[in-house]
Amino acid sequence: MTPNGNYALINDYKDIVHELASQVKHDKHFFIVTRRKAPFSRIISLWQRQASKSHTTNRLSVHYSGESGIDNGAIALEFLEQCTADMAESMFPDGAPMDSSFLVQNGSFRTCGEIVAVSLAQGGPPPCFLEKCAYEAAFREFDMMNIGEENLTFKEKQLLSEVRSDCQKHTDLIIDNGYTGAIKEENLDAIVRSLQVSFVSRRCLYMKEFMLGLSSYGLDQMIIQNPLVCQPLFVAGDLKEDVTPDADYLFSLLEPHYSREGTSRRCFEEDIMDFFQDILNDCETGNVVGHQAPIAYNYKEEEGNTDEDEAMNQDESLVVESPCLSVPGIMGWLTGSQHKPISGKRFKIPVYFDHDCLKNKPGHS
């Protein structure tokens, strides 16, 4: 940032990510404690509680209740992946903010902006789930008497087409959006224009609340000054595909620590790596499925336990699901992150081979 507050050196979205990352305070924590699969409304509530005590520029740390994992970064990345997916589905369905004044008064849209800023600053996924007109509603001023097709979402265009076909069928919608004239065919143009004004004005309100959340990292000003540069991070498009890993990318990250060349162990290790590469290739084509299994739970193993005892020892909060056996899902299992780093930074995943696994853990299969 220059002394006058301008982001003069920002040329592409990677510069945005680098600028945001430079603001993270790694010596302080923004600590979230939650359970797996908690509804996104609860995540928002927990986030708001923590934000009242510490700033979102502190390093995000996450603990899932009932699990003994210590967050060294991977759990926070996993949390941000899930938050971004849940946010897209529940708060921004169809690429635009949900039409709800309730989500304004309780700060949910603002909190979504904070979560997005943290995600971009701390290695999480980009929120590539908005339509272009929804993104522009965050910073543009509109002439409400001249709303064009380009200012409407795909769903809104469909809805207006249905209204034009039969306005009487949509009387409740028309009244709810503020039209007070007679609902009849000869007033159809006025009805449609009134709906357009309502759609766009409401969306501007919701997106400006979202922008207030982005301001926690100054991302709102970066967008205002560099809207086209920031656009790929928010609007659904090529970037989402660009950061999605394929089998070759993920396998290239693996850094196996092989035994000495020429040993039988080395041959076995190389076979294992070949096998894992084949699995990744199959996962890329969708040819691999998995059965349901516990994600994580507390379990006390004692000698002589009966099946009933074992059931009693399992934590009541046991969460069972089918594993995500796509390449992004496997990358998430290994690293916590299901996407390539937006900054373009390369990293390695060390691979170690336990040849004494049966001796170290006799009961496993």
Side-chain angles (χ1 to χ4, degrees), residues 78-95:
E78 183 182 356
F79 172 80
L80 290 171
E81 291 278 359
Q82 190 62 54
C83 277
T84 303
D86 290 345
M87 187 188 303
E89 181 178 354
S90 62
M91 297 289 292
F92 296 87
D94 304 308

Side-chain angles (χ1 to χ4, degrees), residues 19 39 41 80 92 113 149 167 184 200 209 236 249 269 287-288 295 300 335 362:
E19 175 60 35
S41 58
L80 290 171
F92 296 87
E149 288 282 304
C167 63
K184 49 188 180 180
V200 175
E209 283 293 306
Y249 174 82
E269 291 162 358
N287 292 332
V288 180
I295 299 175
K300 295 180 181 179
T335 69

Side-chain angles (χ1 to χ4, degrees), residues 185-200:
E185 292 297 324
E186 51 263 43
N187 293 336
L188 193 55
D189 287 343
I191 290 172
V192 169
R193 288 198 301 271
S194 180
L195 288 174
Q196 289 175 332
V197 169
S198 178
F199 293 158
V200 175

Side-chain angles (χ1 to χ4, degrees), residues 32-327:
I32 297 290
V33 180
T34 183
R35 60 179 171 82
R36 285 189 186 271
K37 301 300 180 182
F40 189 61
S41 58
R42 177 162 180 79
I43 297 298
I44 286 179
S45 177
L46 293 171
W47 187 283
Q48 290 172 341
R49 178 181 179 274
Q50 186 60 31
S52 69
K53 300 190 295 182
S54 59
H55 201 274
T56 56
T57 53
N58 296 345
R59 186 173 73 85
L60 175 65
S61 296
V62 177
H63 175 74
Y64 286 120
S65 59
E67 300 180 22
S68 58
I70 298 175
D71 186 12
N72 60 0
I75 298 178
L77 292 177
E78 183 182 356
F79 172 80
L80 290 171
E81 291 278 359
Q82 190 62 54
C83 277
T84 303
D86 290 345
M87 187 188 303
E89 181 178 354
S90 62
M91 297 289 292
F92 296 87
D94 304 308
M98 179 182 289
D99 185 9
S100 170
S101 58
F102 174 69
L103 298 176
V104 174
Q105 66 86 27
N106 69 7
S108 292
F109 284 125
R110 197 173 298 191
T111 300
C112 284
E114 291 180 357
I115 294 173
V116 164
V118 169
S119 183
L120 291 173
Q122 302 194 33
C128 302
F129 50 62
L130 293 175
E131 284 200 32
K132 184 180 178 183
C133 64
Y135 169 69
E136 292 177 342
F139 58 88
R140 272 190 60 186
E141 296 296 331
F142 293 91
D143 179 359
M144 291 299 175
M145 292 185 67
N146 293 285
I147 302 297
E149 288 282 304
E150 70 278 4
N151 305 133
L152 301 173
T153 67
F154 177 76
K155 187 175 181 180
E156 289 166 350
K157 293 174 187 176
Q158 283 186 320
L159 191 55
L160 290 179
S161 177
E162 294 172 8
V163 170
R164 289 189 180 98
S165 298
D166 187 353
C167 63
Q168 294 294 333
K169 186 178 178 180
H170 297 84
T171 298
D172 289 343
L173 170 73
I174 294 168
I175 293 173
D176 289 344
N177 279 274
Y179 181 75
T180 56
I183 301 176
K184 49 188 180 180
E185 292 297 324
E186 51 263 43
N187 293 336
L188 193 55
D189 287 343
I191 290 172
V192 169
R193 288 198 301 271
S194 180
L195 288 174
Q196 289 175 332
V197 169
S198 178
F199 293 158
V200 175
S201 61
R202 291 187 186 191
R203 183 160 60 248
C204 286
L205 168 63
Y206 306 146
M207 290 305 298
K208 283 177 172 53
E209 283 293 306
F210 181 71
M211 279 281 272
L212 287 174
L214 298 178
S215 68
S216 59
Y217 275 79
L219 184 51
D220 58 332
Q221 292 303 311
M222 296 183 203
I223 291 173
I224 291 170
Q225 295 176 23
N226 306 275
L228 293 178
V229 172
C230 296
Q231 181 173 307
L233 296 170
F234 293 89
V235 177
D238 294 339
L239 179 58
K240 188 170 184 178
E241 294 184 11
D242 291 344
V243 298
T244 300
D246 59 14
D248 291 332
Y249 174 82
L250 180 53
F251 193 74
S252 72
L253 299 179
L254 301 180
E255 187 177 54
H257 290 248
Y258 287 125
S259 298
R260 186 164 48 87
E261 185 76 44
T263 62
S264 59
R265 286 192 170 192
R266 175 63 175 262
C267 294
F268 184 75
E269 291 162 358
E270 290 174 342
D271 288 344
I272 288 292
M273 292 301 294
D274 289 345
F275 176 73
F276 188 58
Q277 185 177 23
D278 292 340
I279 289 291
L280 290 178
N281 291 337
D282 285 340
C283 288
E284 185 174 280
T285 57
N287 292 332
V288 180
V289 294
H291 60 81
Q292 286 199 333
I295 299 175
Y297 59 89
N298 290 331
Y299 179 79
K300 295 180 181 179
E301 186 174 334
E302 298 177 4
E303 292 185 7
N305 275 2
T306 64
D307 291 343
E308 184 178 350
D309 292 331
E310 290 180 358
M312 292 289 289
N313 282 333
Q314 292 183 8
D315 192 285
E316 293 181 357
S317 62
L318 180 146
V319 179
V320 177
E321 69 174 10
S322 297
C324 179
L325 294 180
S326 63
V327 174

